[in-house]
Every structure is written in structure tokens, then in C-alpha cells.
Amino acid sequence: MGGVRRVLIVGGGVGGLTAATSFAQRGVDVVLIERQPSFDIPGVGLGQPANALRVYQSLGFLDEILQTGFSYDRMHIFDASRKLIAEHVFLLGDETLPAFCALSRLDLHRILLRAAEQAGVEVRLGVTAAKIQDEPDKVSVQFSNGESDTFDLLAGFDGIRSTTRPHLVGTAFVPRPSGYGAWRVQAPRPDYVRGMEFLQGIGSKTGGMPLNNDLMYVFHIRPEAPDAWFAEKDLPDLFRERLSQYGGYVAEVSASLDANSDIVYSPMEPLLMPWPWHRGRVVIGGDAAHTFPPHLTQGAAMAAEDGYVLAREVLRNDTPLAEGLMRYSRDRYARCAFVYTFSRQWLDDEQSVRTAEQMEVARAELAMNASARIAASDRILNSPI
Ligand SMILES: Cc1cc2nc3c(=O)[nH]c(=O)nc-3n(C[C@H](O)[C@H](O)[C@H](O)COP(=O)(O)OP(=O)(O)OC[C@H]3O[C@@H](n4cnc5c(N)ncnc54)[C@H](O)[C@@H]3O)c2cc1C
């Protein structure tokens, strides 16, 4: 297994926890450090497509995910008044897997953390890697609590503001503002919302995703100043203003927003690190290596795939570490570059609908081609990793 017996994972998100479980289940001694003193998961949801579910199936906790979340097999594209434009039945999944299962981030995190602990991962909270020294036969780490240790490999799954990434490329590659932002809130699920929905508006897009029998999550994507910052007390009014053109359940959710609504705003800062995603014994994955516009709902899914493929390639029989890491980088870069390109283009296309005339052009185009376009993506993403 390339001499890898002991691994440090930096970051306890979807990517880090999946990587940790994947290594530990294959007999590696794994320490996972997480900067937060306790896990603090924002209360919005995640759609997990079949390619992510396949990873969870391989690691043995798919059933728990399916029992907790809401499975669906199609998406609809509407206009802002929720008049149907197109339906797409996903070509994802197989006889053992639904196309999608969506669940709250908190529920997914609980399941991933339990799986990591059951596999024997040692989780240390409130700790970061203060100093990383990459040497030919080991990587030495000084932790923020003053302790130090050595590992055969350090895998940084430490998110969009990764402090591991600079060990590979300095500050040359950082997420850059796209000029768009995403607003999100949880809301009660009307019975008729049974799959992913996009509502194409003029100058923005909104949508919904079921999370379980009772809850859904409403999102809204629009141009925002690159340095936009909003005070928490202003979020309900600002979100309501932004949703004013939308009808159907979006209008109801909008009317219900108040100081108790758990509204989350995030700027969109896409990033695709050129490969290789490693240097010596330090490697990155998940949002540390790539962040996408959320259109294909593949960010956490790609992070989970990264974690799984990293362990598999590094531990392949008799493979020198450098070769395993290169295979990981090559395969993951190609797949993530597809998600990055497809979702960026979708973002740009939808956000360029700025007038009523452009909306009519988009309506006709989406009715004619949207399903075929998403089917092409499904075929790629449903292929084995
Ligand atoms: C609006 C929106 C909607 C989305 N919807 C979906 C969706 O439906 N489906 C989907 O698959 N993805 C979705 N995503 C993407 C998804 O949220 C991310 O891609 C995913 O969470 C990335 O996981 P990660 O483990 O790489 O990073 P993170 O989840 O960011 O985890 C990184 C962890 O590392 C910790 N950390 C950071 N620095 C350090 C350090 N120095 N030392 C120790 N720990 C550290 C952090 O505290 C954090 O816990 C969406 C994203 C957005 C913005």
C-alpha cells in the first residue's frame, strides 16, 4: 500500500469524513483534525446524487441516508410564476440506488461522523495544523495546541479557504468572486414538491429541493456585489425583496420570512485547481481543490468521491505513493473539470436572462433542450469512478 500506514485528514466536512472512513476501513490509522471546537453545521440541505450515494453504499451507510432523506428521480424547470417549462427524469442511479436523495446538512454530517468513528478514526476538535513539514519519508505536523506528530500522508479537505492548498501552490490559486450569490432557507414542504425544482426568473433563478417529508429548502441565485455582506437582522427583508417576482410556494415562503428564519447567504466563488493536487506527501480534495456553482448539486458529491478515490488509489497494492497520488489527481481533475464547466455555463446562461424577451427565448430553448442537456451530464456522472 505504498507504505501508507498513518494518515492525517485536515477538515471534518463531507470530503474529510469520507476520506477518513475510506482510509480507516482499509486498515489505515487515521487522525482527523477539525478547526471548530464543536461541529457547527448550518441548517440547510444537500442533494446527494447517485454518484455520491454509490460512495456511501461502498462504505456501508447508504441505508441510513436513504431512511433519513427524501429520494427523488426527476427535476422540473418552471418560470417565475411556476408555470412548467420542462421536466427531466434523471438517468442517474440503478436498481439499488435512487437518482437523488436530499437531506439536511446536519443529518448527513451525523451519519458521516458516526461512520468515521465506527471505522476507528480519531477525531480531534478545535485543532489545526500550524506547521507542515513535508519530508521524503514522512510529513511532520505541528498542531495549533502545541503537540506534534508524523504521518505518511496529509490530506487537506479543509474547504474553500483551505490552508493546506498554499503548501502546493502558494497563493496563486484562490477562489475568486463570480459576481453571483446564493440565498438559502429551510421551509415546510408542500406535498406537491417531490423533486428538484428550478424557477427561471428574469435576472435571477430560484428553486426548491425536498429534504424530508416535512421540510424543503428554497434557494435563490442572483448577481450580488463581489464583496456583498449583509447584517443578519436585514436578511429577511433583503431576501423577501429579491424574491418579489416569484409566485407559487416561493411567494408563501417569502411572506413567512422573519427574524427566526435560518437564512444563509454565500457568495459564489468558483475554483478549479490545476492538477496535480499533491506535492510530496501533501494532497488536497473537496472544496479545497474545486468549488462549483451549485447547479448540478455535485460539490459535496465530488468531495465524497475525492475522499473515496484518494484512499483507493493510494492503497492500491504495491503502488508507490507518488503514482497513487498522480492517478488520484488525474482522474479527479478530469471529472471535476466537467462539473465545473457544465455548472458555470448553466449559471452564466440563466443569469443572462435579463428582459421579458430574453425570458421567452430561454423558455423555448429550455423546453426544447434542457432535458437532453442534463441527460448528457447524467450519463457522465453516472459512470463508474
Ligand atoms: C448554495 C450552495 C448549495 C449547494 N448545494 C449542494 C448540493 O445540493 N449537493 C452537493 O453535493 N453540494 C452542494 N453544495 C456544495 C457543498 O456544500 C460543498 O461542495 C461541500 O460541503 C464541500 O465539502 P468539503 O468537505 O470539501 O468542505 P467543507 O464542507 O467546507 O468542510 C471543510 C471543513 O474543514 C474545516 N477546516 C477548515 N480549515 C481548517 C483547518 N485549517 N484545520 C482544520 N479544519 C479546518 C472546516 O471547519 C470544515 O468543517 C452547495 C454549495 C452552495 C454554496
Side-chain angles (χ1 to χ4, degrees):
M1 52 158 86
V4 172
R5 305 256 184 281
R6 190 164 153 72
V7 171
L8 177 69
I9 307 285
V10 183
V14 173
L17 287 167
T18 307
T21 302
S22 303
F23 275 107
Q25 284 188 355
R26 290 166 188 259
V28 172
D29 184 12
V30 181
V31 176
L32 181 149
I33 55 169
E34 163 57 49
R35 180 179 55 187
Q36 300 180 80
S38 64
F39 284 109
D40 173 24
I41 312 296
V44 273
L46 278 174
Q48 291 295 266
N51 53 300
L53 300 178
R54 210 163 265 133
V55 168
Y56 304 146
Q57 187 178 41
S58 301
L59 296 177
F61 50 85
L62 174 67
D63 289 349
E64 214 180 329
I65 291 198
L66 297 184
Q67 279 155 20
T68 308
F70 192 101
S71 296
Y72 54 90
D73 69 351
R74 64 196 61 207
M75 71 174 288
H76 294 100
I77 300 179
F78 298 97
D79 67 12
S81 62
R82 203 166 175 275
K83 186 167 168 218
L84 185 65
I85 300 176
E87 179 182 57
H88 173 67
V89 178
F90 291 110
L91 305 182
L92 295 166
D94 54 40
E95 56 292 345
T96 65
L97 285 172
F100 266 89
C101 180
L103 65 175
S104 81
R105 285 178 184 256
L106 192 57
D107 284 337
L108 179 60
H109 177 80
R110 275 201 207 107
I111 295 169
L112 291 173
L113 181 61
R114 191 160 48 232
E117 286 174 342
Q118 275 170 0
V121 173
E122 182 191 335
V123 177
R124 299 183 192 162
L125 296 175
V127 182
T128 65
K131 195 167 169 216
I132 299 171
Q133 199 168 337
D134 189 16
E135 297 164 40
D137 59 341
K138 63 180 186 299
V139 51
S140 301
V141 179
Q142 205 176 82
F143 296 109
S144 52
N145 60 8
E147 292 172 9
S148 51
D149 208 338
T150 61
F151 300 88
D152 300 313
L153 179 70
L154 182 155
F157 282 84
D158 46 353
I160 188 166
R161 318 253 169 253
S162 170
T163 54
T164 311
R165 188 169 55 227
H167 286 273
L168 312 189
V169 289
T171 52
F173 295 94
V174 289
R176 297 191 181 98
S178 62
Y180 300 111
W183 295 72
R184 291 168 279 173
V185 70
Q186 272 190 6
R189 181 182 71 84
D191 190 49
Y192 57 84
V193 176
R194 307 195 70 80
M196 168 97 111
E197 301 204 348
F198 284 179
L199 279 69
Q200 174 68 55
I202 297 178
S204 68
K205 199 225 350 233
T206 297
M209 183 195 284
L211 293 179
N212 56 37
N213 280 333
D214 305 322
L215 285 174
M216 66 182 298
Y217 122 68
V218 171
F219 56 88
H220 177 64
I221 298 171
R222 62 178 301 112
E224 296 287 2
D227 56 352
W229 178 86
F230 307 108
E232 210 171 314
K233 69 173 179 39
D234 298 332
L235 290 177
D237 286 343
L238 292 171
F239 198 6
R240 196 175 307 112
E241 241 168 58
R242 283 160 169 71
L243 293 176
S244 60
Q245 70 174 296
Y246 293 93
Y249 60 84
V250 180
E252 286 164 31
V253 171
S254 172
S256 73
L257 295 172
D258 63 22
N260 297 319
S261 307
D262 192 8
I263 301 168
V264 178
Y265 171 76
S266 344
M268 271 186 212
E269 301 170 298
L271 165 79
L272 180 63
M273 264 278 295
W275 70 299
W277 292 348
H278 68 279
R279 176 183 285 268
R281 291 175 176 270
V282 179
V283 62
I284 58 172
D287 274 14
H290 46 72
T291 59
F292 319 111
H295 295 59
L296 285 173
T297 57
Q298 283 286 345
M302 288 296 121
E305 284 191 2
D306 287 352
Y308 181 77
V309 172
L310 176 65
R312 186 188 67 198
E313 294 307 322
V314 161
L315 301 177
R316 217 177 255 286
N317 279 347
D318 301 326
T319 302
L321 177 60
E323 267 178 39
L325 290 173
M326 190 53 90
R327 270 200 308 269
Y328 159 76
S329 283
R330 182 199 60 197
D331 294 355
R332 298 310 303 155
Y333 177 79
R335 199 159 157 91
C336 293
F338 165 73
V339 174
Y340 181 86
T341 309
F342 193 101
S343 43
R344 274 225 71 153
Q345 185 177 357
W346 197 341
L347 170 70
D348 289 341
D349 290 345
E350 85 197 4
Q351 298 292 329
S352 66
V353 175
R354 296 286 168 94
T355 64
E357 292 71 32
Q358 289 168 345
M359 181 62 214
E360 290 320 304
V361 173
R363 186 194 301 275
E365 200 283 330
L366 289 167
M368 197 160 53
N369 297 323
S371 180
R373 199 156 46 231
I374 304 163
S377 160
D378 290 347
R379 287 193 175 90
I380 291 172
L381 292 169
N382 207 40
S383 57
I385 50 170

